[in-house]
Amino acid sequence: MKTGIERVGTIMVVGAGVSGIQAALDAAKGGFKVYLVEKGPAIGGKMAQLDKTFPSNDCSMCILSPKFIECATDPNIDILTDAEVERVDGEAGDFQVTLVQRPRYVDAERCTGCGTCAEYCPVRVPDSYNENLATLKCIHLAFPQAVPAVSFVDPEHCLFLRRGICQICVPTCKNKAIDFHQRQKVHEVRVGSLILAPGYEAFSPQVQSQYGYGRFRNVVTSLEFERMLSASGPNRGELCRPSDGRHPKKIAWIQCVGSRDKSAGNPYCSSVCCMYAIKHVLLSKEHDPDLEAHVFHNDIRAYGKGFERYFERAKSTPGVRFTWSKVSVMGEDKETGAVRLRYRLNGTSVQDDTFDLVVLSIGLVSPETSRELAEKLSITVNEYGFCEGSPFSPIETSRPGIYHCGVFHAPMDIPDSVTMASGAASLASQLLSERRGTLVEKKEYPVERDVRGEPPRVGVFACDCGTNIVKTVDVKKVVDYSRGLMGVVHAEESTFSCSIDSVTHMAKVIREKGLNRVVVAACTPRTHEPVFQDALREAGLNPYLFEFANIREQCSLVHMGDKRSASDKAKDLIRMAVARAVLLEPLTQISYKVKHSALVIGGGLSGMVVALSLAEQGIPVHLVEKEKELGGTARRIHYTLERNDIQEYVQSLVSRVYKNLLIQVHTESRLLDFSGYVGNFRSRIAVGDRGVIKEIEHGVTIVATGTDEFKPAAYLYGQDPRVVTQLELEQEIYAGGELLKQCGTMVMIQCVGSRDEERPYCSRICCSQAVKNALRLKEQNPSMDIYVLYRDMRTYAFREDYYRQAAEKGVVFIRYEREDQPDVTAAEEEGRSVLRVTVTEPTLGGRLMINADRVALAVAALPAAENRPLSRLLKVPLNEDGFFMEAHMKLRPVDFATDGIFMCGTAHSPKFIDESIVQAQAAASRALTVLAQEELKAGGLVCSVSAKRCSGCGLCEQVCPYQAIALGDEGIAVVNQALCKGCGVCVSSCRSGALDLGGVSDMQTWSAIQALLG
Ligand SMILES: Cc1cc2nc3c(=O)[nH]c(=O)nc-3n(C[C@H](O)[C@H](O)[C@H](O)COP(=O)(O)OP(=O)(O)OC[C@H]3O[C@@H](n4cnc5c(N)ncnc54)[C@H](O)[C@@H]3O)c2cc1C
């Protein structure tokens, strides 16, 4: 890159799946203008097609649509759909991008997405959103919650565009939005940096005829199955098989279709299929508890956070079977539509079985269009068409200034995609940091209408949530009922209240009908309250004049199959919400200045990367490390699976950290005290061993405390020096140790301390670590016999290539069951002392004996010992395994629920070096969304004190978990609005009734109770 170039403060994100959306949001919140370019007609990518997500079973659209709205309403994000990048000239900091945008034949400025045109359109086309399992009209919205909520014409099928006839749709549009004069547009745009997130396409099983896909009616792909399960799917969430619409009673899943398969051209592992199949099993059982589910699989790759528990849950569900076997699709019963499968049981006896439905768990492939994109941009991709990056700079592409994320990097799940997207935003903004904030616009809202003194005019907006609510609750009746409630002047039903058109409509209704209180009867305030509060602000109302009635989680989802009672309960919930709403008063917030500095706890690899990322963007950082040296566990690792030198990388990081004047390194130091709130934290750290205490103020806090290595008491570890952990073995290999040179037979035992009762999680890295060390040993000593005793080899994504290489080089992999563990004893063999390892060989069924010279144990990665005390100090939670718990498993994998505190690296869960680097960069990006602000707001739903009533007893100060209330100089309690979380503990403890919680007054609670009791 030339120096002295004037950088452009705009970032272009190409591809608007969940990765692209996250990258765009982070970049915009971090102070940049963003173009979000999507080749399809709407944003959302594949995640918008999924039913629920593993392992949390969140409804995909429910968690995605608030992000859609954030993108659509952010003045700094320009969404360009139907658009593709044609060429990119220039260099990092100043690119000229040529974009081509296809016509929609509908004017986006005029279309309201009302759908009248579709009612009249005479042509039906396959519905690609529903994987062509249904049809819809030739002019249509991409899907109900689409952003932009603008219809488009399918040019392949439109009678006018193909044959010059029809145009029926034109006069039906009262806004005159349909415009067949539209032509392809070319845009020239200057941007400082690009982020590529073009995602994946699903493998087409049609090319592999052995699965019977396309021939047998009841063989479907996993993506089709997602749509079949979905409430917005072709059967509105009813699980029906394609041949006759009957409910399947027996379903089979076939794993690794188009993955781990050289003949399909995809020898790599698709990383997500095992988990989504497990999800499918559990969701199918929700649809029909009596259903039989049978999964035919290879290694089950449940390697992510919470995955192993999810797998165990599925295994222990009655009627669910997992069989490790290859399987052949033998044929279809023409009469019943049942599909015949043949498989081997325990590798020996052949079994036949029939199923009502067969689901093919298809892999993730890089589409041809992504290869073309890479070619146009002169970006290198790997042999499979993915843009792998390098282990120490995974997000960078081969062209400076262009970054990438999501499945374009490698097959990965949603949280990993989201994390990488934030990391990409951080790198892009790092490049352009001098232009941060120079082009951004602030979102402007109309002046708030003063509603005090007005009689209540409540609007009730009830949501069907596709079918999630309406299947169980009679929403029409509930809406009719709401109209009769005191204070209610408007009530209406909508299919998806959270879609952008519904939210815009809500703001319009509030204005037109002069509403001054709003009740939304829908899902959870956790994800959706900000969406609806924004609609109130758009309509000029104070956002706190809003009340939620959760008729989904608290009603339809828990009373399935009992429509009458569920509808009655929904009425009760709405009646109570209205009773509370009429007493709502406008609340205000205060502004405060942000401290532009960061505290990073943990000076391992992740901590150093995040510190550098921030410091190189001008943020002063305090880096606190408990040991004498920086580097953490990485100091003990020498090479990656891909053979890159880790020590060289760690040393370069350490040197960059020490040379950076904005980073203050505190080694042999610990956090003593922590207080404050986002943008304004205060910490005390004990520095060095001389009792020096340092006080620091910082706007954000990042936890990067890493993991510890488990030291087992089994397999003679600690008793016989020939038994070591994989990490110890790696150090020996690197040092060229004597013991290894004499080793003729090495046995590696996997899952030592992981995936057991005490630690029911997978340590993720151990399988690849064993493969890495086995390959190194084979290189040093090709005649060495190496046995890997494993439960499932979890070499996901392109790590699979190394697993295959190891097998090709003669490493023997033997599978053992959790209930039948290997055994290691010291023994004599022909006068030689050996380690005798016995294990049950699954194909032979008998016990195999191996006389080994050395044994290496793949031990569990433990949560750092620091985590527990730190979680207490920071008041942030740990999960049941002792790792830090994120705000939302899927969409906020780097944030804590407490604003301004973030995590990265193995403090979150075990992960590889490249994954830790990505998450550290993501943490920097998330931190910058706070640090890019000059001021933040606090208050609203917080406590207030009535000075007249306060007796100064101080009980509130004792019980407040956030130190948000204290006795002031006059002996009266004073609330710090920025610290108060509105939990209400102080209110219930106050004996004088001096405390009130905004939006939840005693009067409101009484009123709600009275409303319930009628
Ligand atoms: C059956 C199935 C079930 C799954 N279930 C789960 C689950 O439960 N939980 C989970 O975590 N993961 C699941 N996954 C994986 C999940 O879908 C992905 O992790 C995630 O969607 C990846 O998002 P992405 O943004 O990287 O890619 P995508 O969702 O593919 O988005 C890419 C976007 O880029 C656009 N695009 C492509 N090329 C261009 C271009 N040249 N110019 C402009 N735009 C372009 C595309 O149109 C698309 O909108 C599942 C996958 C499958 C197949």
Side-chain angles (χ1 to χ4, degrees):
M1 192 179 73
K2 271 192 269 168
T3 50
I5 187 172
E6 195 192 323
R7 291 178 197 170
V8 182
T10 311
I11 295 170
M12 179 174 286
V13 180
V14 180
V18 64
S19 320
I21 289 176
Q22 185 64 42
L25 285 171
D26 272 14
K29 290 214 170 69
F32 296 92
K33 269 269 178 206
V34 179
Y35 291 107
L36 179 55
V37 178
E38 166 57 47
K39 76 169 182 201
I43 64 173
K46 291 286 186 310
M47 187 174 165
Q49 282 185 284
L50 305 181
D51 175 34
K52 302 222 165 78
T53 62
F54 62 76
S56 51
N57 278 4
D58 283 308
C59 163
S60 300
M61 271 317 294
C62 297
I63 55 175
L64 197 53
S65 66
K67 298 247 174 203
F68 284 2
I69 294 175
E70 258 189 87
C71 276
T73 56
D74 191 318
N76 298 307
I77 300 180
D78 206 345
I79 302 174
L80 288 158
T81 50
D82 302 289
E84 278 179 70
V85 173
E86 202 43 45
R87 59 180 289 160
V88 175
D89 297 313
E91 60 186 298
D94 188 5
F95 291 109
Q96 290 84 49
V97 185
T98 309
L99 288 172
V100 173
Q101 192 171 27
R102 286 179 301 279
R104 282 177 99 95
Y105 303 106
V106 176
D107 185 339
E109 299 296 316
R110 290 168 177 246
C111 176
T112 59
C114 69
T116 311
C117 51
E119 277 172 34
Y120 289 90
C121 174
V123 182
R124 292 204 80 87
V125 299
D127 178 0
S128 57
Y129 174 67
N130 274 317
E131 289 293 299
N132 302 337
L133 293 170
T135 58
L136 40 59
K137 295 299 183 64
C138 186
I139 186 164
H140 59 269
L141 272 181
F143 50 89
Q145 304 96 318
V147 164
V150 174
S151 299
F152 66 99
V153 176
D154 175 347
E156 302 283 305
H157 297 90
C158 171
L159 291 177
F160 178 70
L161 292 172
R162 282 171 64 86
R163 294 196 265 141
I165 53 173
C166 189
Q167 291 204 76
I168 285 175
C169 53
V170 177
T172 66
C173 178
K174 60 178 189 302
N175 291 332
K176 300 195 177 9
I178 296 157
D179 177 6
F180 283 109
H181 297 294
Q182 280 188 356
R183 293 291 170 265
Q184 179 172 293
K185 280 189 202 154
V186 176
H187 304 273
E188 301 284 343
V189 187
R190 265 183 85 201
V191 300
S193 165
L194 285 101
I195 296 171
L196 307 181
Y200 69 97
E201 75 187 11
F203 175 77
S204 166
Q206 219 127 20
V207 300
Q208 289 198 308
S209 60
Q210 72 264 32
Y211 294 113
Y213 180 76
R215 282 188 294 134
F216 305 138
R217 294 159 296 170
N218 293 320
V219 176
V220 297
T221 69
S222 43
L223 213 45
E224 287 168 345
F225 195 66
E226 290 280 340
R227 297 313 305 148
M228 288 161 69
L229 290 169
S230 173
S232 61
N235 302 313
R236 313 261 299 153
E238 206 178 319
L239 185 52
C240 306
R241 62 181 195 161
S243 68
D244 51 12
R246 275 183 36 225
H247 293 176
K249 286 282 170 198
K250 197 171 165 191
I251 309 182
W253 280 262
I254 303 181
Q255 296 306 107
C256 298
V257 175
S259 302
R260 304 182 68 186
D261 181 356
K262 265 188 165 173
S263 70
N266 303 327
Y268 57 86
C269 160
S270 288
S271 304
V272 295
C273 323
C274 290
M275 288 312 296
Y276 74 55
I278 293 169
K279 169 186 79 175
H280 287 170
V281 165
L282 290 169
L283 292 178
S284 304
K285 291 291 282 184
E286 272 178 26
H287 280 254
D288 180 354
D290 299 328
L291 178 143
E292 280 179 56
H294 198 155
V295 183
F296 298 96
H297 62 92
N298 195 342
D299 308 272
I300 287 283
R301 294 192 162 163
Y303 57 84
K305 196 172 182 179
F307 291 6
E308 186 67 22
R309 276 194 170 79
Y310 197 61
F311 175 37
E312 286 297 326
R313 193 177 125 204
K315 275 202 299 189
S316 60
T317 304
V320 175
R321 276 177 73 190
F322 284 83
T323 301
W324 191 309
S325 177
K326 282 212 162 196
V327 60
S328 306
V329 180
M330 304 303 289
E332 177 195 50
D333 186 318
K334 289 276 171 281
E335 242 172 63
T336 62
V339 185
R340 282 197 309 282
L341 300 187
R342 175 165 293 169
Y343 60 97
R344 277 185 187 281
L345 206 55
N346 301 326
T348 49
S349 62
V350 172
Q351 304 266 322
D352 283 315
D353 206 347
T354 53
F355 294 87
D356 297 335
L357 187 70
V358 171
V359 184
L360 305 178
S361 293
I362 48 176
L364 276 49
V365 293
S366 182
E368 198 44 47
T369 48
S370 292
R371 286 181 200 255
E372 286 164 16
L373 178 71
E375 213 172 291
K376 281 182 204 160
L377 272 63
S378 311
I379 301 277
T380 313
V381 290
N382 71 8
E383 56 190 308
Y384 310 121
F386 291 89
C387 184
E388 236 181 311
S390 73
F392 301 138
S393 45
I395 297 175
E396 289 177 26
T397 68
S398 54
R399 187 164 169 187
I402 304 188
Y403 308 97
H404 77 291
C405 59
V407 180
F408 185 40
H409 176 74
M412 63 175 78
D413 63 6
I414 293 162
D416 286 352
S417 300
V418 168
T419 303
M420 194 168 187
S422 289
S426 173
L427 289 194
S429 62
Q430 193 168 330
L431 174 73
L432 310 175
S433 57
E434 68 205 41
R435 301 301 308 273
R436 185 187 301 283
T438 53
L439 296 176
V440 290
E441 288 166 46
K442 256 186 119 178
K443 190 166 175 180
E444 297 293 344
Y445 293 98
V447 180
E448 256 176 46
R449 188 158 65 86
D450 187 358
V451 302
R452 281 169 301 177
E454 285 182 10
R457 292 180 61 79
V458 184
V460 176
F461 296 84
C463 181
D464 292 347
C465 194
T467 56
N468 283 319
I469 294 175
V470 81
K471 202 161 59 180
T472 309
V473 173
D474 189 334
V475 180
K476 259 189 192 59
K477 273 206 183 132
V478 168
V479 167
D480 282 344
Y481 169 81
S482 306
R483 287 196 184 101
L485 294 172
M486 206 193 300
V488 174
V489 295
H490 175 83
E492 66 173 64
E493 176 183 4
S494 84
T495 314
F496 290 105
S497 292
C498 62
S499 67
I500 183 83
D501 57 327
S502 299
V503 174
T504 317
H505 168 77
M506 188 181 293
K508 190 165 160 248
V509 173
I510 295 171
R511 270 192 306 267
E512 286 176 358
K513 303 223 162 176
L515 304 182
N516 55 21
R517 308 285 187 283
V518 173
V519 172
V520 171
C523 52
T524 161
R526 240 184 92 212
T527 49
H528 284 64
E529 192 165 61
V531 172
F532 300 119
Q533 285 188 321
D534 204 61
L536 268 73
R537 292 186 75 188
E538 291 282 0
L541 274 191
N542 181 284
Y544 297 102
L545 298 171
F546 170 79
E547 191 66 46
F548 227 121
N550 188 339
I551 59 166
R552 201 180 72 158
E553 279 79 352
Q554 292 171 7
C555 189
S556 72
L557 298 188
V558 283
H559 300 297
M560 276 181 198
D562 189 358
K563 198 159 186 166
R564 207 165 142 201
S565 312
S567 302
D568 286 344
K569 180 170 173 186
K571 288 178 190 168
D572 290 345
L573 289 171
I574 293 174
R575 193 168 64 247
M576 290 164 76
V578 170
R580 272 195 308 266
V582 293
L583 297 172
L584 284 171
E585 288 294 327
L587 299 174
T588 51
Q589 292 192 311
I590 51 152
S591 297
Y592 62 91
K593 293 258 177 257
V594 172
K595 300 228 156 65
H596 293 108
S597 59
L599 169 69
V600 177
I601 306 166
L605 193 132
S606 308
M608 287 194 286
V609 171
V610 71
L612 278 166
S613 259
L614 290 171
E616 286 171 6
Q617 301 189 58
I619 305 293
V621 179
H622 289 275
L623 179 58
V624 177
E625 164 59 49
K626 69 175 169 34
E627 302 293 335
K628 267 196 180 119
E629 283 178 66
L630 296 175
T633 311
R635 290 213 326 272
R636 297 173 63 198
I637 315 173
H638 294 275
Y639 42 84
T640 65
L641 186 58
E642 300 83 3
R643 307 183 61 88
N644 298 77
D645 186 340
I646 294 174
Q647 286 315 302
E648 196 182 285
Y649 175 64
V650 171
Q651 286 320 314
S652 80
L653 278 182
V654 172
S655 130
R656 277 171 60 204
V657 164
Y658 276 111
K659 279 185 192 152
N660 195 311
L661 297 179
L662 286 179
I663 304 178
Q664 276 198 49
V665 180
H666 308 284
T667 47
E668 292 182 276
S669 303
R670 279 168 199 275
L671 186 70
L672 286 181
D673 251 349
F674 182 82
S675 61
Y677 42 89
V678 55
N680 205 343
F681 293 111
R682 187 183 287 266
S683 297
R684 280 195 324 133
I685 42 178
V687 180
D689 52 3
R690 278 170 289 149
V692 179
I693 307 286
K694 203 168 166 91
E695 274 209 16
I696 56 174
E697 292 185 339
H698 47 106
V700 296
T701 308
I702 296 148
V703 178
T705 45
T707 49
D708 292 339
E709 192 189 23
F710 174 57
K711 297 288 181 196
Y715 301 125
L716 300 181
Y717 182 80
Q719 298 165 39
D720 190 315
R722 293 169 297 177
V723 181
V724 289
T725 66
Q726 284 286 355
L727 209 50
E728 289 160 354
L729 174 65
E730 177 165 337
Q731 281 168 311
E732 246 188 89
I733 295 173
Y734 185 74
E738 257 331 286
L739 266 176
L740 269 186
K741 283 187 193 144
Q742 296 151 15
C743 173
T745 303
M746 163 76 71
V747 172
M748 297 180 173
I749 303 176
Q750 300 304 106
C751 295
V752 179
S754 305
R755 302 180 63 193
D756 59 14
E757 241 160 59
E758 204 182 334
R759 272 169 237 94
Y761 62 86
C762 165
S763 294
R764 186 170 178 135
I765 52 174
C766 337
C767 289
S768 299
Q769 204 184 16
V771 167
K772 174 179 89 170
N773 286 340
L775 280 169
R776 277 284 168 128
L777 288 171
K778 274 285 179 191
E779 209 173 89
Q780 288 179 356
N781 180 3
S783 61
M784 186 187 289
D785 290 326
I786 304 177
Y787 298 89
V788 180
L789 315 185
Y790 71 101
R791 286 173 55 197
D792 292 275
M793 281 306 288
R794 292 183 167 174
T795 45
Y796 56 94
F798 307 127
R799 292 170 188 89
E800 182 70 9
D801 288 344
Y802 296 91
Y803 174 27
R804 208 177 35 258
Q805 262 179 39
E808 283 163 6
K809 290 209 157 100
V811 176
V812 179
F813 292 87
I814 302 170
R815 186 160 56 86
Y816 73 89
E817 299 288 341
R818 175 172 155 178
E819 301 71 32
D820 185 6
Q821 307 250 341
D823 191 40
V824 180
T825 50
E828 287 284 322
E829 182 70 24
E830 295 173 1
R832 193 167 66 93
S833 162
V834 294
L835 291 164
R836 179 156 295 157
V837 183
T838 54
V839 61
T840 303
E841 212 289 334
T843 359
L844 305 174
R847 206 76 182 156
L848 188 76
M849 190 179 81
I850 308 164
N851 288 323
D853 299 305
R854 300 295 305 276
V855 166
L857 307 177
V859 294
L862 302 181
E866 299 298 297
N867 288 8
R868 211 156 283 285
L870 200 56
S871 84
R872 278 196 288 265
L873 266 182
L874 302 180
K875 297 198 177 63
V876 293
L878 299 174
N879 71 3
E880 55 257 85
D881 299 321
F883 293 97
F884 284 102
M885 193 156 97
E886 56 277 49
H888 190 281
M889 195 163 226
K890 287 278 137 181
L891 294 187
R892 291 179 67 195
V894 184
D895 307 8
F896 280 101
T898 309
D899 291 339
I901 312 186
F902 307 92
M903 71 185 93
C904 60
T906 47
H908 165 270
S909 63
K911 51 176 73 70
F912 289 96
I913 283 183
D914 56 344
E915 295 169 330
S916 295
I917 295 171
V918 166
Q919 205 181 20
Q921 282 160 341
S925 174
R926 301 296 302 147
L928 280 160
T929 60
V930 173
L931 298 170
Q933 319 294 322
E934 283 306 315
E935 286 188 340
L936 288 173
K937 282 196 167 15
L941 293 181
V942 293
C943 285
S944 57
V945 184
S946 157
K948 269 200 281 181
R949 289 191 175 186
C950 177
S951 64
C953 71
L955 195 56
C956 51
E957 186 176 339
Q958 287 167 32
V959 297
C960 175
Y962 304 102
Q963 283 102 47
I965 192 164
L967 290 186
D969 294 341
E970 285 156 31
I972 304 289
V974 179
V975 176
N976 180 330
Q977 293 200 24
L979 278 176
C980 178
K981 299 271 176 276
C983 68
V985 171
C986 60
V987 182
S988 52
S989 72
C990 180
R991 285 173 293 208
S992 330
L995 292 169
D996 233 331
L997 184 56
V1000 200
S1001 65
D1002 289 353
M1003 274 289 280
Q1004 282 174 294
T1005 309
W1006 278 121
S1007 173
I1009 294 170
Q1010 270 167 2
L1012 177 68
L1013 301 177

